[in-house]
Amino acid sequence: MNKKLIKTVSLALIASLGFAMAGCAGETAETSAQGETAAAGEFTTVTPGVLTMATNAFFPPYEYYEGEQIVGIDAEIAQAVADKLGLELVIQDVEFDSIIAGVQSGMYDIGCAGMTVTEERMQSVNFTTTYATGIQSIIVVEGSDITDLDSLIDSGCMIGVQTGTTGDIYMTDEVGEDRMDRYNKGNDAVLALLNGTVGAVVIDNQPAQAFVAANEGLTILETPYTVEDYAMCVNKDNEALLAAINEALAELQADGTIDAIIETYIPSEEA
Ligand code: ARG
C-alpha cells in the first residue's frame, strides 16, 4: 500500500466551542464510462492512428476546460507523446473512477489524469514513468477549527473528496465510510465545503490551489500529508505501447519539454 500518512503532531488545540459542525449530510456518487474497441499497428491502439486518452477534466492545472477544449499539463504532455508516436490524440472526459476499468477493458489506450501510482492500481494497469508529483492537501473555510490532519479526524465533520481518488481512499481509511462525502468532480466537493455540507475537502495540492484561488473564504492547511507520483496508466497487455510511451517521455524529459509544460501551468513550483 502506498499509504504514508505523515500525521502532524497535533497540538490538541482549543477544543471546539460548540462550533456548528459542518457536513452532516451524506451523498454518494454515480459512475459512467464510454469508449470503443479495436486494435492495429506495431503497438496496438484502441483506434488505429489514434491515442485515446481518458481523463477527468475538472482537475486544474492538469486537465480542465478552456471553452470546449481540454487543456492542462496532462493534455499537453499526452499531445507531445502522441506527436512522437505519430498518433492523433483524442481525449475523453469521463468519471475519474471509471478510468482504470476503461483502460483495463480496452476502451482507452491511456489514463492520464494526475493519476497517482499506487500498488493497488498496479494490480489492474501498468504505469509509465512518473512525470510529476502531487501532495494531498486539506481545504477548509477560513477560521475553521480544523487546523491539521488530526483535528480533521477528531472533528467529526464530513469530508468531501473526489470519488475513487487517493484522497478518498486515504480518508476513508482514517475516518470510515460514514464521514465520507464523495463527488464526481473536485469542484463539487469544494462547493459542498462552501455551503457547509462538508467540513473539509481532501484533494491534490495543485487543484486545491486553483479551487481556493477561485473561491473566497477558503484556505489550504499547511499539513504535510502524502507525496505521490503521477503517471499515465496503460493496459497490462499492451507492453509495446507502454515501452513506446516511456521512450517518448524520456525524450521529452531530456529535451526539457516536460519541464517547460509544467512551468507554463505551475510557474516556478514543484509539480
Ligand atoms: N492524484 C489523485 C489520484 O490519483 C487524484 C487524481 C484526480 N484526477 C482528475 N483528473 N480528476 O487518485
Side-chain angles (χ1 to χ4, degrees):
M1 289 289 279
N2 182 16
K3 199 166 29 136
K4 13 178 186 166
L5 296 190
I6 308 162
K7 294 187 190 179
T8 49
V9 183
S10 168
L11 299 177
L13 294 173
I14 325 116
S16 86
L17 318 157
F19 167 66
M21 206 149 288
C24 295
E27 180 169 317
T28 40
E30 329 115 33
T31 54
S32 77
Q34 47 184 286
E36 47 191 72
T37 325
E42 280 190 315
F43 43 74
T44 54
T45 57
V46 171
T47 303
V50 172
L51 185 67
T52 305
M53 156 179 160
T55 196
N56 173 261
F58 297 90
F59 198 71
Y62 288 91
E63 41 268 335
Y64 59 99
Y65 282 92
E66 220 167 67
E68 306 258 286
Q69 217 200 336
I70 296 171
V71 298
I73 293 170
D74 286 333
E76 287 204 28
I77 293 178
Q79 182 64 61
V81 167
D83 289 347
K84 284 219 177 269
L85 302 188
L87 299 171
E88 182 201 341
L89 179 70
V90 170
I91 302 180
Q92 296 204 14
D93 181 18
V94 302
E95 306 300 357
F96 181 77
D97 69 341
S98 73
I99 295 174
I100 288 183
V103 167
Q104 221 181 347
S105 67
M107 279 188 206
Y108 323 117
D109 296 307
I110 59 169
C112 184
M115 187 178 282
T116 303
V117 180
T118 71
E119 273 173 36
E120 205 184 330
R121 290 172 179 171
M122 280 165 71
Q123 322 250 312
S124 311
V125 285
N126 282 335
F127 280 98
T128 64
T129 44
T130 294
Y131 58 85
T133 58
I135 301 168
Q136 291 301 311
S137 295
I138 301 168
I139 312 176
V140 295
V141 293
E142 276 167 10
S144 171
D145 285 357
I146 297 167
T147 51
D148 57 19
L149 182 61
D150 285 342
S151 59
L152 170 59
I153 292 168
D154 294 345
S155 70
C157 286
M158 292 298 291
I159 300 174
V161 292
Q162 187 182 17
T163 310
T165 57
T166 44
D168 180 3
I169 296 161
Y170 300 151
M171 291 318 301
T172 304
D173 238 43
E174 289 287 347
V175 302
E177 284 290 330
D178 291 354
R179 283 181 57 198
M180 300 305 295
D181 211 349
R182 303 189 172 98
Y183 297 86
N184 284 331
K185 296 180 183 131
N187 24 336
D188 288 343
V190 172
L191 289 179
L193 175 60
L194 286 167
N195 72 27
T197 305
V198 301
V201 168
V202 175
I203 197 161
D204 304 46
N205 60 328
Q206 290 299 337
Q209 285 181 30
F211 294 143
V212 166
N215 294 284
E216 295 264 309
L218 298 181
T219 184
I220 300 172
L221 298 181
E222 304 276 332
T223 303
Y225 199 24
T226 56
V227 178
E228 308 178 336
D229 291 326
Y230 292 169
M232 301 178 189
C233 65
V234 181
N235 189 294
K236 270 194 182 294
D237 295 330
N238 208 342
E239 300 267 355
L241 182 63
L242 180 73
I245 293 174
N246 277 338
E247 204 180 309
L249 285 173
E251 286 169 22
L252 295 165
Q253 200 87 62
D255 72 6
T257 305
I258 290 181
D259 284 348
I261 291 170
I262 291 173
E263 179 70 25
T264 308
Y265 289 92
I266 311 172
S268 304
E269 282 183 37
E270 108 277 28

